[in-house]
Amino acid sequence: ETQTLTETFFFPEIKAQAKIVDVRELLAVRAQFNQARASLNVAKVAESSAKQELSRLEKLSQGAGSVAAKNVNYAEASWREARAKLQGLQFQLNDVKDQARQRWGETISSWVIDVNSKSLERLISQQDSLLLVSLPTEQTLPADVSIIRISRDGNRQDARKAYFISPAMNSEQQIQGETYYFRTATGKLRSGMRIDVWISKTNEALTGVFIPDEALVWYAGQAWAYIELEEGKYQRRSLREHIDTEGGIFVQQGINKGDALVLTGSQMLLSQEFRWQIQDEDDD
C-alpha cells in the first residue's frame, strides 16, 4: 500500500514537562504581606500621634512654662520609640516583598502585593492554573515565545494553550534545565499534576514531508522508508536527517512531495532486499 506524499509545513518543537503549582504558598505570602502592612499602618498612626503630642507639649513649655521639661523629654522618647518601631515594620514589609520577588519573580510577586490583582484572584478561584515548566538541560526558551501547548494525557493533537508569565527562580530537582511560569485555564487540571509541554522553536514553518511510523523501517541504526518507483519496483531511502514528531518523523531531504511512499509492506520489502544474505540450505 502506497501514499503519494504532499508538502507539509512543520514547526520544530521542544518537548518539555510541567507541574501544576499549588497556589497555597502564594496565599501564605499574601497573608504575611497583609499582616506586615496592617502592623505598619498601626505604627504610622502611633508615630503620628506621638509626634503631635510632642509638638503640643513643646509649644506649651515654651509659651507658659506650665509643662515641666521632663514631660517634654518623656514625649520625645515616646515619639522616638514609635518612629523606631515604624522603621522596623517598614523594613519587615520590604523583606516580605523581597522574599516574594526572590521566590516567585517580579510578575507573580506583584500579583501577591496588589490587593486588586485579577490574575491572582483567578488562580485562587481555580479559574486559572499556574504551571512550572522545566526545559531539558540542553534547551533554552526562544525569546519570542509567549504561548506553548500542553496536554495532561500526552496527546499532542489535543494539546491546548498556556501563556507565558515570567522566568522561575526555582527548579525541579529531577530536571535541571531552565524553568518558567505559565498560566492556563484550569479545566480538569489539579495541583501537583505533571503534564507534557510542546514549545515552538521558531515562528517560521519548515517545509518538507511527513513520514508516519508505519512506513518506517530500521536498519544499521537509522530510519529508512521505501518509495515505489514504478509498479513492482521499489527503492529504500535514508532518513538519517529527520525531526521526530507525533506519530512519525518530518524530513526535508531524501524523500520529496509527489513520491509514492510505501505505507504497508516496508518490512517485507526490507526482508526481500536482503534475502540474498541468507544462505540456501541446499547451497554448497
Side-chain angles (χ1 to χ4, degrees), residues 20-35:
I20 308 301
V21 178
D22 191 339
V23 298
R24 286 181 294 182
E25 186 176 345
L26 287 176
L27 294 178
V29 175
R30 189 176 71 165
Q32 186 180 4
F33 174 80
N34 288 339
Q35 182 178 1

Side-chain angles (χ1 to χ4, degrees), residues 18 53 56 62 66 141 148 158 202 210 223 244 250 257 273:
E53 178 63 11
R56 185 182 70 84
Q62 293 173 0
S66 58
L141 188 72
I148 61 175
D158 296 334
T202 175
F210 174 74
D244 293 321
F250 177 82
K257 67 177 181 178
E273 183 179 353

Side-chain angles (χ1 to χ4, degrees), residues 27-284:
L27 294 178
V29 175
R30 189 176 71 165
Q32 186 180 4
F33 174 80
N34 288 339
Q35 182 178 1
R37 182 170 54 185
S39 297
L40 179 65
N41 289 336
V42 171
K44 285 180 178 179
V45 173
E47 190 272 342
S48 178
S49 297
K51 188 174 183 179
Q52 290 177 5
E53 178 63 11
L54 173 61
S55 178
R56 185 182 70 84
L57 292 177
E58 285 178 337
K59 289 179 180 179
L60 289 175
S61 177
Q62 293 173 0
S66 58
V67 179
K70 64 178 182 179
N71 290 339
V72 174
N73 292 336
Y74 289 150
E76 183 176 2
S78 297
W79 169 68
R80 291 185 182 279
E81 181 180 353
R83 187 177 63 173
K85 185 176 181 179
L86 176 62
Q87 291 174 340
L89 290 171
Q90 183 64 66
F91 291 146
Q92 182 178 335
L93 184 65
N94 291 338
D95 288 343
V96 173
K97 291 180 180 179
D98 291 341
Q99 290 172 13
R101 292 191 187 98
Q102 180 66 27
R103 172 65 177 85
W104 296 100
E106 192 67 39
T107 301
I108 297 180
S109 63
S110 69
W111 299 351
V112 174
I113 64 178
D114 181 2
V115 294
N116 297 315
S117 173
K118 294 182 179 179
S119 296
L120 182 62
E121 185 57 37
R122 289 186 62 87
L123 293 177
I124 295 172
S125 62
Q126 298 181 343
Q127 297 177 69
D128 286 347
S129 290
L130 183 64
L131 281 62
L132 177 63
V133 175
S134 299
L135 272 59
T137 54
E138 71 280 5
Q139 298 289 348
T140 188
L141 188 72
D144 55 352
V145 167
S146 60
I147 297 174
I148 61 175
R149 300 283 178 171
I150 64 169
S151 173
R152 67 189 186 100
D153 58 8
N155 188 345
R156 177 65 178 84
Q157 300 301 320
D158 296 334
R160 55 193 177 91
K161 295 179 180 179
Y163 302 90
F164 178 79
I165 297 175
S166 67
M169 298 300 104
N170 56 318
S171 64
E172 286 285 274
Q173 293 182 356
Q174 298 89 342
I175 305 175
Q176 297 299 318
E178 296 178 6
T179 51
Y180 298 87
Y181 287 119
F182 284 76
R183 62 175 178 82
T184 189
T186 296
K188 296 182 180 180
L189 299 178
R190 299 294 181 268
S191 294
M193 278 186 175
R194 294 189 177 275
I195 59 178
D196 293 303
V197 174
W198 294 269
I199 304 168
S200 294
K201 291 183 177 181
T202 175
N203 288 327
E204 296 182 3
L206 302 178
T207 57
V209 292
F210 174 74
I211 311 297
D213 286 333
E214 57 265 32
L216 298 174
V217 291
W218 293 88
Y219 173 72
Q222 66 165 299
W224 305 77
Y226 281 93
I227 297 299
E228 185 180 47
L229 301 178
E230 58 186 65
E231 186 175 356
K233 186 177 181 180
Y234 304 92
Q235 184 182 61
R236 179 164 49 92
R237 301 274 182 89
S238 171
L239 305 177
R240 181 185 298 273
E241 300 295 330
H242 69 266
I243 301 173
D244 293 321
T245 184
E246 188 75 18
I249 63 175
F250 177 82
V251 296
Q252 293 184 282
Q253 57 185 14
I255 297 181
N256 305 306
K257 67 177 181 178
D259 287 342
L261 175 71
V262 175
L263 286 179
T264 303
S266 298
Q267 193 62 48
M268 179 188 66
L269 290 174
L270 183 67
S271 299
Q272 289 291 339
E273 183 179 353
F274 291 96
R275 186 177 180 182
W276 59 271
Q277 293 183 352
I278 304 175
Q279 186 176 12
D280 196 301
E281 292 181 358
D282 297 329
D283 216 1
D284 294 328

